[in-house]
């Protein structure tokens, strides 16, 4: 099937892009992905699973309450309820596509427990291999879908608009630098997160927020860009990106120690299962004081339940059955993103966003574990219904297309984000980050610098501590919880020479 100008363009081949593309069938869809399909997507690396309030004694209302508690005042109640309520159908849909989820002896879906969930509700596959299994299932379904054309090895570099200002296509660039354009009736960005902007990250290195740069340059409203979740227990073996020791290990009893053998979480409410940001800061403080931190996972059943983690450790020369795992916090998930409404629509006509790149109002200031795969599945369906119900006839996309070069400052940006916009932030560090990243971004086309600057600028302006954002100089939450919104024009203006789409 060739690309037709009536197609919907979906950018990204993780759970968000693939689920949206499949839900849009039989509408023609062109899915554009910069890597080979199935590779370099965070989705494939998900270990814990998908949160779904489907067990006996559980309810979408309980799930929504847990989500709101984690979100620290910025999760929206109606969004949390709608997403929690969509879980049953989403899991059935994945089962219908052939996803081999783990099952209990009676044949029902096996449900795991994770921190801050009040019930067992984590649907998983192949133990801790959920992401890989789900991604393989979705890729197979996409390859078999007659209305879906997949273009691999092409990076979306610009959103193109028609004369009315509606997004009507994208410009793409292949690995050799060749440019092309695609027009479409709608564009859905599903480009994932931005952990790759940090030197210490669990994300694929290509996860540098490229969809955020595309949307920002097209004038879309971005929200809560400062809220980055740092996973407390990335495995510190010098690998880049860092392998993850899933939270479920602590759920099953693994304990944290510093190099003096002290269990430094023992006095903290919730201990090792305190919220992620609390555990991440406690580990950060130990490391800042010069003490290494390890996770002792020498427990019965580890090899069977956590095959993936054990394999990751062994591939890096560690045997978690014999010795504790060295760990450190790492950038893991971006709660902020392109502001969307209940149908996944961004503030610019013709543009939708799904998955980690979007800010739906679900996660607020902190994401509840295993809610992101669910969010992508729920919004994929709502976006497909919204686009399918719209009689859109955009005009010809217009605008000059310039090639994009890899950021020359990538290593500097990653080190700077770790040091100045990391787990513990304060005005002096953030001022320096904003100034330097602003200079790098103002030099023109550097998407990495632009997105990093947007995060640092938002972190500088949020003078409180809330969820994943901790300010040593403002350690308490403000009385009222407020979202932070921004557009590129409002914050940077054109004077700085930042490329924008008219
Ligand atoms: C190690 C790890 C474990 C996790 N565990 C869990 C878990 O257990 N449960 C849970 O709910 N969440 C988990 N998460 C978070 C979750 O995996 C992600 O939030 C989710 O998979 C994001 O899906 P996505 O489709 O939005 O992005 P991704 O899966 O990252 O896919 C993004 C896609 O966009 C493509 N792309 C990016 N930019 C462009 C561009 N400009 N042009 C073309 N293509 C582009 C990429 O190549 C990729 O195909 C985990 C994350 C990590 C890193």
């Amino acid at each position: 099937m060739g690309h037709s100008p009536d197609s919907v363009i979906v950018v990204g081949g993780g759970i968000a892009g693939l689920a949206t593309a499949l839900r849009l069938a039989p509408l023609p869809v062109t899915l554009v992905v910069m890597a080979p399909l199935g590779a370099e997507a965070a989705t494939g690396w998900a270990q814990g699973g998908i949160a779904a309030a489907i067990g006996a004694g559980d309810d979408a209302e309980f799930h929504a309450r847990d989500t709101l508690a984690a979100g620290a005042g910025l999760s929206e109640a109606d969004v949390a309820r709608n997403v929690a309520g969509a879980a049953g159908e989403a899991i059935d849909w994945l089962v219908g596509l052939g996803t081999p989820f783990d099952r209990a002896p009676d044949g029902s879906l096996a449900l795991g427990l994770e921190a801050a969930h009040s019930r067992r509700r984590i649907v998983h596959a192949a133990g801790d291999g959920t992401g890989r299994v789900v991604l393989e299932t979705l890729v197979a379904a996409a390859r078999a879908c007659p209305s879906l054309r997949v273009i691999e090895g092409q990076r979306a570099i610009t959103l193109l608009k028609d004369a009315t200002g509606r997004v009507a296509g994208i410009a793409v660039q292949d690995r050799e630098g060749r440019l092309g354009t695609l027009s479409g009736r709608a564009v859905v960005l599903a480009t994932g997160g931005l952990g790759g902007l940090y030197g210490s990250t669990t994300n694929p290195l290509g996860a540098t927020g490229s969809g955020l740069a595309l949307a920002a340059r097209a004038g879309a409203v971005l929200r809560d860009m400062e809220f980055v979740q740092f996973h407390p227990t990335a495995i510190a073996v010098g690998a880049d990106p860092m392998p993850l020791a899933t939270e479920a290990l602590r759920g099953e009893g693994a304990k944290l120690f510093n190099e003096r053998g002290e269990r430094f979480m023992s006095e903290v409410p919730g201990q090792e299962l305190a919220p992620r940001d609390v555990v991440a800061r406690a580990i950060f403080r130990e490391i800042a004081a010069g003490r290494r931190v390890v996770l002792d996972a020498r427990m019965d059943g580890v090899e069977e339940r956590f095959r993936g983690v054990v394999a990751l450790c062994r591939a890096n020369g560690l045997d978690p059955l014999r010795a504790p795992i060295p760990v450190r916090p790492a950038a893991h998930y971006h709660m902020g993103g392109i502001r969307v409404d209940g149908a996944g629509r961004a503030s610019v006509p013709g543009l939708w966003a799904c998955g980690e790149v979007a800010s739906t109002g679900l996660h607020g200031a902190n994401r509840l574990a295993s809610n992101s795969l669910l969010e992508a599945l729920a919004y994929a369906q709502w976006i497909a219904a919204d686009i399918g119900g719209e009689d859109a006839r955009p005009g010809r996309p217009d605008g000059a297309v310039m090639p994009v070069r890899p950021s020359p400052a990538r290593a500097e940006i990653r080190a700077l984000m770790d040091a100045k916009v990391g787990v513990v932030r304060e005005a002096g560090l953030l001022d320096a980050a904003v100034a330097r990243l602003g200079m790098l971004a103002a030099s023109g086309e550097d998407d990495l610098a632009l997105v990093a600057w947007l995060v640092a600028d938002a972190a500088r302006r949020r003078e409180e501590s809330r969820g994943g954002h901790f300010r040593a100089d403002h350690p308490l939450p403000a009385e009222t919880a407020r979202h932070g919104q921004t557009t590129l024009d409002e914050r940077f203006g054109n004077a700085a020479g930042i490329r924008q789409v008219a």
Side-chain angles (χ1 to χ4, degrees), residues 82-137:
N82 291 343
V83 171
E89 195 278 342
I91 298 295
D92 286 349
W93 181 74
L94 284 176
V95 170
L97 292 180
T99 314
F101 286 120
D102 296 335
R103 302 227 166 225
D106 68 358
S108 62
L109 290 169
L111 299 174
L113 180 64
E114 280 188 355
H117 283 279
S118 58
R119 301 284 190 283
R120 281 198 168 264
R121 64 166 74 103
I122 313 301
V123 178
H124 50 86
D128 57 5
T130 312
R132 175 180 54 76
V133 169
V134 168
L135 190 58
E136 282 169 7
T137 307

Side-chain angles (χ1 to χ4, degrees), residues 188-268:
V188 183
L189 291 175
T191 50
L194 53 61
L197 292 176
Y198 286 82
S200 298
T201 183
T202 63
N203 288 190
L205 296 184
T208 54
S210 73
L212 299 167
L214 293 177
R217 293 190 200 280
V221 174
L222 306 178
R223 184 165 63 179
D224 295 341
M225 288 291 289
E226 63 276 32
F227 289 118
V228 176
Q229 183 175 78
F230 296 89
H231 198 291
T233 55
I235 303 176
V237 279
D240 181 23
M242 298 171 74
L244 183 71
T246 171
E247 190 152 47
L249 276 166
R250 279 173 283 129
E252 300 297 334
K255 300 282 183 272
L256 288 162
F257 294 92
N258 65 19
E259 65 183 25
R260 294 188 199 143
E262 293 159 346
R263 210 180 129 214
F264 56 91
M265 290 305 295
S266 62
E267 302 300 315
V268 177

Side-chain angles (χ1 to χ4, degrees), residues 11-18 32-51 114 122 130 135 154-157 190-193 202-204 206-207 209-211 214 242-244 246 276 332-333 354-357 367-374 376:
V11 184
I15 191 169
L18 287 164
V32 177
V33 55
M34 62 187 185
L37 200 54
E40 293 174 41
T43 299
W45 300 3
Q47 294 179 350
I50 307 174
E114 280 188 355
I122 313 301
T130 312
L135 190 58
Q154 297 274 354
R155 182 187 184 90
I157 55 165
T191 50
T202 63
N203 288 190
S210 73
L214 293 177
M242 298 171 74
L244 183 71
T246 171
R276 271 188 189 171
H332 182 62
Y333 185 82
C354 189
E356 192 166 337
V357 74
R367 177 188 66 125
L368 184 63
S370 290
N371 261 358
S372 36
L373 296 177
L374 173 62

Side-chain angles (χ1 to χ4, degrees), residues 404-472:
V404 168
R405 281 183 301 278
S407 169
R410 182 167 170 269
E412 179 191 347
I413 292 169
R414 296 185 76 202
L416 180 152
M417 292 299 280
D418 272 358
K420 299 187 164 64
V421 198
V423 179
V424 174
R425 304 163 171 182
E426 53 99 2
L429 296 173
L430 292 169
D431 281 343
V434 168
R436 178 63 187 150
L437 292 168
M439 272 174 63
L440 292 171
S443 67
E445 306 288 319
D446 190 333
D447 280 356
L448 267 63
L450 175 61
V451 178
W453 178 85
L454 285 162
V455 175
D457 177 59
R460 175 70 187 87
R461 286 186 289 142
R462 186 174 287 278
E463 295 188 329
E464 63 161 344
S465 291
R466 184 179 296 281
H469 170 75
F470 184 81
R471 289 277 301 253

Side-chain angles (χ1 to χ4, degrees), residues 160-168 185-186 348-350 352 390 392-394:
L160 301 173
K161 292 181 175 175
D162 68 10
T164 69
R166 180 185 165 101
V167 173
R185 59 182 277 179
V348 175
W352 282 255
E390 198 192 48
R393 295 179 203 285

